[in-house]
Amino acid sequence: MAAIQQSLSTSISSSTSTFLGQHKLRLRSQNVSLPGKTSGIVRCVATPSTETSYKTKVSRNENLAKLQAGYLFPEIARRRSAHMLKHPDAQIISLGIGDTTEPIPEFISSAMAQRAHDLSTLKGYSGYGAEQGEKQLRASIASTFYANVGIEEDEIFVSDGAKSDISRLQVLFGSNVTMAVQDPSYPAYVDSSVIMGQTGQFQKDVEKYGNIAYMRCTPENGFFPDLSSVPRTDIIFFCSPNNPTGAAASREQLTELVHFAKNNGSILVYDSAYAMYICDDSPKSIFEIPGAKEVAIEVSSFSKYAGFTGVRLGWTAIPKALLYSDGFPVAKDFNRIVCTSFNGASNIAQAGGLACLSPDGFKAMKDVVSFYKENTEIIMETFKSLGYKVYGGKNAPYVWVHFPGRSSWEVFSEILEKTHVVTTPGSGFGPGGEGFVRVSAFGHRDNVVEACRRFKELYK
């Protein structure tokens, strides 16, 4: 076991990020040796056991059997781990999974540390909190992100992240709904739909599940679907800025989308997890669009703004005006789901969230975002200089690179084998991602620069 651990270690060069000095964050040493993430060896897919002949009389959930292979990102981690075992001396650089790399700003981490310390005192201890989140944090989220659109604190549900809330929303909707999803898009939308029993079987000839409307988003349509060709569905999942393409929908496009949902009596689930990366006049919230409060739910997260991918803190906004066909408020049912399945976000994480939304904390988050956007520019310029068509990047921490005529997994494997850089194959986000590779800007600056040097060596 020690030998395996030794072979999984890799030397990663740290960055001296500009925002670190400004906010007196603890600097990492310039060169550090970090252990490989051995958890990446585990795949999120059930495999039959041959160790025992005993079987229970409980049938397997047939919906889980529909899922294809493992969830995308654990599968990438598995291939990364296999590559590390094959090349134990290689310096692996990960620009694949969208996991933040820079330290949490000290102003924010100090607030969490103080809250953790307070829990060791009689005066500061607290147990279970409100399932919907602490009142002060809900109010702060409402005033910071929704002050001009009329979303109030009691319409905010604090959670342990947008991904968790997506699954809670699927429980809310149940199995008897139809759904539409951007193609390509974040795989959690489709996989959770399959698990809930909303879909048919996987159709290998078209790489799609039955009973899902795949809204194709391409460079030709500006990564916004032709809604005239989209059938009516109960639920529409839409992410802007989009993961993986990095495209942010314009005000006109989102107005069209809200009208489409309203005309069809659909509920729009709008994922705004990357809204702070928007630098033009694209809306940061769906509730900037007139009429959206009658058809939309918004999920968001602190993960990519404050480095909270491990801390886990997000929120879902459900307006009181959003009603089911019988007039019952959607928020009341979601509150019931939350109270049944969730005891509320960590009080330590919520202290961090409050710090994030203070003037100093918000500035620190903006500096974090700016750092990753600088990485994005480096990656974009690299592939442009090599003659590739590159999309995204401007309003998102992802660069969407087109490799025409080639398989996404083939390009992923080529880059990993020849440069020791981990990316993400576009087809993992849906059939519309075939021929593309997503390159994440979440990385230490030195590693991003080195990865781009290797890209130039490979594709010059």
Side-chain angles (χ1 to χ4, degrees):
M1 186 65 183
I4 294 176
Q5 292 287 355
Q6 178 65 29
S7 69
L8 288 177
S9 70
T10 180
S11 177
I12 299 178
S13 177
S14 294
S15 165
T16 52
S17 314
T18 55
F19 69 85
L20 299 185
Q22 294 171 357
H23 295 279
K24 299 180 181 179
L25 307 186
R26 296 185 182 91
L27 291 174
R28 297 173 178 166
S29 59
Q30 186 64 18
N31 290 286
V32 296
S33 180
L34 300 177
K37 294 184 179 179
T38 56
S39 61
I41 297 174
V42 180
R43 298 181 66 188
C44 290
V45 58
T47 55
S49 172
T50 58
E51 295 179 1
T52 177
S53 60
Y54 175 78
K55 299 177 182 178
T56 70
K57 294 181 180 180
V58 180
S59 299
R60 183 187 180 195
N61 183 338
E62 61 182 11
N63 297 313
L64 285 167
K66 296 177 187 176
L67 292 171
Q68 299 299 297
Y71 186 68
L72 174 62
F73 298 114
E75 173 62 20
I76 290 172
R78 185 192 68 81
R79 297 191 184 206
R80 176 184 186 271
S81 295
H83 184 78
M84 292 171 70
L85 290 172
K86 183 179 177 182
H87 303 278
D89 297 325
Q91 182 193 18
I92 308 294
I93 298 175
S94 181
L95 301 180
I97 186 172
D99 192 4
T100 52
T101 58
E102 303 311 294
I104 295 172
E106 189 171 359
F107 177 82
I108 297 169
S109 63
S110 294
M112 291 189 285
Q114 182 61 53
R115 184 65 172 268
H117 174 74
D118 289 347
L119 291 173
S120 67
T121 68
L122 285 174
K123 183 178 180 180
Y125 177 77
S126 61
Y128 291 127
E131 292 90 346
Q132 304 83 3
E134 295 178 1
K135 181 179 176 63
Q136 187 179 358
L137 178 57
R138 297 171 78 191
S140 187
I141 290 171
S143 63
T144 301
F145 296 105
Y146 304 107
N148 299 320
V149 296
I151 295 296
E152 301 174 354
E153 68 177 73
D154 61 352
E155 297 172 303
I156 302 293
F157 295 82
V158 177
S159 72
D160 53 346
K163 185 177 183 180
S164 299
D165 273 348
I166 288 166
S167 290
R168 292 186 188 106
L169 287 170
Q170 292 285 31
V171 173
L172 173 76
F173 300 140
S175 60
N176 296 321
V177 296
T178 54
M179 69 165 290
V181 64
Q182 289 161 292
D183 178 25
S185 67
Y186 182 44
Y189 310 142
V190 170
D191 282 13
S192 61
S193 182
V194 175
I195 292 170
M196 278 302 301
Q198 299 168 0
T199 76
Q201 295 293 331
F202 185 73
Q203 302 164 3
K204 291 186 178 181
D205 57 333
V206 291
E207 296 290 315
K208 297 178 181 180
Y209 286 95
N211 208 38
I212 292 182
Y214 289 78
M215 304 184 295
R216 185 60 65 94
C217 298
T218 68
E220 290 72 29
N221 62 21
F223 296 103
F224 187 82
D226 175 9
L227 296 178
S228 67
S229 66
V230 177
R232 189 263 168 197
T233 62
D234 297 309
I235 311 299
I236 303 168
F237 279 94
F238 197 92
C239 179
S240 180
N242 177 263
N243 176 15
T245 68
S250 68
R251 191 169 302 276
E252 293 73 23
Q253 289 172 333
L254 291 182
T255 298
E256 182 185 352
L257 181 63
V258 167
H259 288 166
F260 177 77
K262 197 165 189 177
N263 290 339
N264 285 293
S266 305
I267 292 178
L268 172 64
V269 178
Y270 188 81
D271 187 340
S272 65
Y274 301 96
M276 279 188 68
Y277 286 82
I278 293 175
C279 60
D280 58 20
D281 59 357
S282 300
K284 292 182 172 64
S285 168
I286 191 62
F287 300 121
E288 295 180 36
I289 307 302
K293 286 193 284 187
E294 297 174 337
V295 297
I297 293 169
E298 183 165 297
V299 296
S300 197
S301 169
F302 289 94
S303 289
K304 307 303 167 65
Y305 307 157
F308 273 27
T309 50
V311 172
R312 308 307 305 150
L313 191 67
W315 70 90
T316 290
I318 306 182
K320 299 183 187 75
L322 181 64
L323 307 175
Y324 288 115
S325 58
D326 64 357
F328 194 83
V330 173
K332 285 191 175 182
D333 271 356
F334 188 70
N335 185 65
R336 186 68 173 85
I337 296 291
V338 167
C339 290
T340 299
S341 63
F342 187 52
N343 279 328
S346 159
N347 45 21
I348 297 172
Q350 291 190 74
L354 271 173
C356 286
L357 301 180
S358 69
D360 286 344
F362 201 78
K363 183 180 184 304
M365 287 200 300
K366 290 173 71 174
D367 288 339
V368 171
V369 169
S370 294
F371 174 81
Y372 290 127
K373 291 192 72 172
E374 290 172 3
N375 282 352
T376 304
E377 292 173 5
I378 295 170
I379 297 167
M380 290 184 70
E381 287 304 314
T382 294
F383 281 102
K384 284 180 180 179
S385 71
L386 294 168
Y388 288 94
K389 289 186 177 180
V390 179
Y391 305 94
K394 178 182 177 182
N395 291 313
Y398 301 122
V399 179
W400 192 237
V401 187
H402 192 202
F403 290 82
R406 300 193 63 188
S407 157
S408 295
W409 278 107
E410 174 192 327
V411 176
F412 165 87
S413 297
E414 176 182 74
I415 292 175
L416 180 59
E417 186 65 32
K418 297 182 179 180
T419 71
H420 308 300
V421 176
V422 180
T423 57
T424 307
S427 58
F429 298 97
E434 185 59 272
F436 291 85
V437 167
R438 191 195 76 175
V439 184
S440 169
F442 294 117
H444 303 311
R445 180 61 48 78
D446 291 349
N447 285 346
V448 170
V449 171
E450 171 60 18
C452 288
R453 184 193 68 79
R454 297 180 194 180
F455 293 149
K456 290 179 179 179
E457 283 291 313
L458 176 60
Y459 293 118
K460 62 183 177 182

